[in-house]
Amino acid sequence: MESRILEVDGWEKVVQFTDQETRLNAIVSVHNSNLGSGLGGCRIRKYASFDDGLADVKNLSRGMTYKNALGGIPFGGGKAVVFADPYTEKTPEMMRAFGKAVDSLNGFYVSAPDSGVTTDDIHEMRKSTKYAAGVVDEQGRGGNPSPVTAYGVWKGMQAAAAHALGSGDLKNMRVSILGLGAVGMALAEHLHEEGAKLIVADVNEQVLAIAKDKFGAVVVGPNDACAQEVEIYAPCALGGAINETTIKRIKAKVIAGAANNQLQRPGYDGVLKEMGITYAPDYVINAGGVISIGHEVMGDWDRGKLYQALDNIAVVLTRIFDRAVSEDTSTGIVADTLAEEIFRN
Ligand code: NAD
């Protein structure tokens, strides 16, 4: 295994690891460790170039610094990328070698699943390091982050509705959900139980049929989910749901969804503010999964404590909404400022 420090201004530690035998080529990036070890997922992807992977891991690890700070967990921001096709090139040996690379940092970075990484991969990593999380332990603690992410989004949505619509009770509210995957479907379930009226869109016919059947949801095309006559729009598919085409078409008063990087451009939260739309910053509302993983790493994963921390997402969001009003600024700017106040002090 070879390692090479990459000097990156503004990031505490960025290291490339290569291992000829297993064909591992990875970068681990810790943006900031003021609050603790850099915690964040490992993404396995065939990047077009080394620079693409480096740019991705830098941005992602920086994002984790902000997410973990506002998520109230004692971790800094870290992330890793592995340059490989997760379907054709990833092997258990490669995952164990990645675990060794993580281990060599002695806990400065703690890994977890991201796109391209399965629970099996985490189990392989854990054969070489204790600094990988996101699995259920022998006592049934920890595990799948998606249901907890969905719970946090649901609570955050209630907080956003309370702020923007005068009531956090979602009964009879109309919610349009784009993306009924692991998080979107679990969110739909919470909303249905609460009595919300659902409009759903996905590219997968199977999940649409389930939502129609179980929740009486109305199905629309993926391009039209943003433009529905609803109180709340919940982007839960890929990034960039709020883009130059969709932003003009949004009729909802609240945007509260699970997807990462919902805004195609950084200033769009300001545009939404001008449109009178309350936007729940994505990295705040979707932090449930990493909060759970953080509790798992701290070794004190407990259902009651976890759900208290998830409920706190709504408290943090309310603080953000109120401060955005009092400072006449966007929710994204307030979220970043609040996070910086936490991790820079
Ligand atoms: P997933 O892959 O299980 O679900 C994504 C869903 O979106 C799928 O049903 C897919 O068919 C659908 N989709 C994909 N492209 C689409 C398109 N163009 N139009 C409509 N639907 C489309 O993913 P997930 O785990 O549910 O995560 C959803 C989002 O939430 C992602 O952006 C993810 O990064 C983010 N997120 C997830 C978690 C988590 O705990 N899983 C945590 C934080 C953030």
Side-chain angles (χ1 to χ4, degrees):
M1 173 93 58
E2 312 234 320
S3 68
R4 172 170 80 106
I5 304 264
L6 307 170
E7 294 298 340
V8 181
D9 241 15
W11 273 254
E12 276 183 33
K13 194 169 221 172
V14 183
V15 192
Q16 182 186 13
F17 293 94
T18 46
D19 179 51
Q20 276 198 341
E21 208 182 308
T22 60
R23 297 176 172 245
L24 173 75
N25 184 10
I27 306 175
V28 172
S29 168
V30 174
H31 169 253
N32 186 290
S33 69
N34 286 357
L35 297 178
S37 307
L39 171 65
C42 169
R43 180 170 287 189
I44 303 189
R45 199 173 143 186
K46 200 157 177 79
Y47 288 95
S49 68
F50 177 79
D51 285 350
D52 278 2
L54 178 59
D56 206 24
V57 79
K58 274 173 55 188
N59 283 337
L60 292 165
S61 58
R62 183 176 182 279
M64 291 311 296
T65 300
Y66 286 74
K67 183 183 265 206
N68 293 343
L70 284 187
I73 50 174
F75 290 95
K79 204 86 185 184
V81 295
V82 172
F83 294 80
D85 182 317
Y87 299 105
T88 59
E89 293 172 338
K90 182 178 77 179
T91 60
E93 294 74 25
M94 186 188 279
M95 292 299 93
R96 289 200 291 278
F98 176 73
K100 246 186 227 166
V102 170
D103 205 59
S104 72
L105 298 172
N106 296 315
F108 196 62
Y109 166 67
V110 182
S111 202
D114 193 87
S115 105
V117 172
T118 62
T119 308
D120 285 349
D121 298 330
I122 298 289
H123 280 297
E124 289 302 329
M125 290 175 199
R126 282 166 71 102
K127 289 179 183 164
S128 327
T129 185
K130 59 180 179 184
Y131 303 114
V135 289
V136 187
D137 72 8
E138 298 77 24
Q139 280 85 39
R141 298 172 306 190
N144 186 0
S146 304
V148 278
T149 300
Y151 177 88
V153 173
W154 176 45
K155 291 287 140 185
M157 189 182 278
Q158 290 173 340
H163 172 82
L165 306 164
S167 168
D169 181 356
L170 303 180
K171 188 164 192 239
N172 290 325
M173 284 220 193
R174 296 166 299 177
V175 185
S176 168
I177 305 177
L178 176 66
L180 286 174
V183 181
M185 189 63 94
L187 172 66
E189 191 138 11
H190 285 301
L191 292 171
H192 174 66
E193 276 167 17
E194 199 182 347
K197 297 189 168 130
L198 301 182
I199 296 177
V200 296
D202 200 289
V203 288
N204 178 345
E205 293 293 331
Q206 249 177 327
V207 295
L208 292 172
I210 293 172
K212 236 164 119 173
D213 185 46
K214 274 178 83 176
F215 315 133
V218 173
V219 173
V220 296
N223 292 338
D224 294 326
C226 65
Q228 298 301 308
E229 289 284 356
V230 290
E231 282 76 33
I232 303 168
Y233 174 42
C236 296
L238 309 177
I242 319 293
N243 55 50
E244 59 195 355
T245 313
T246 58
I247 198 163
K248 299 171 268 192
R249 300 178 65 214
I250 298 169
K251 299 196 184 80
K253 285 282 161 229
V254 168
I255 298 177
N260 277 313
N261 307 320
Q262 288 172 33
L263 308 179
Q264 188 193 41
R265 299 228 170 98
Y268 277 168
D269 52 333
V271 178
L272 293 171
K273 170 188 174 284
E274 294 309 316
M275 291 168 72
I277 297 171
T278 295
Y279 166 66
D282 47 13
Y283 73 81
V284 184
I285 196 168
N286 73 13
V290 78
I291 291 172
S292 172
I293 288 172
H295 285 218
E296 182 187 328
V297 177
M298 287 186 284
D300 68 349
W301 195 95
D302 166 88
R303 208 183 146 76
K305 269 194 213 163
L306 172 64
Y307 276 79
Q308 239 173 29
L310 297 175
D311 286 337
N312 196 51
I313 290 174
V315 176
V316 173
L317 280 170
T318 301
R319 201 173 301 149
I320 290 170
F321 298 141
D322 290 345
R323 188 157 155 184
V325 170
S326 69
E327 294 180 4
D328 190 23
T329 187
S330 72
T331 52
I333 288 175
V334 174
D336 287 359
T337 308
L338 273 176
E340 284 162 10
E341 285 168 5
I342 295 168
F343 76 78
R344 294 216 169 121
N345 288 318

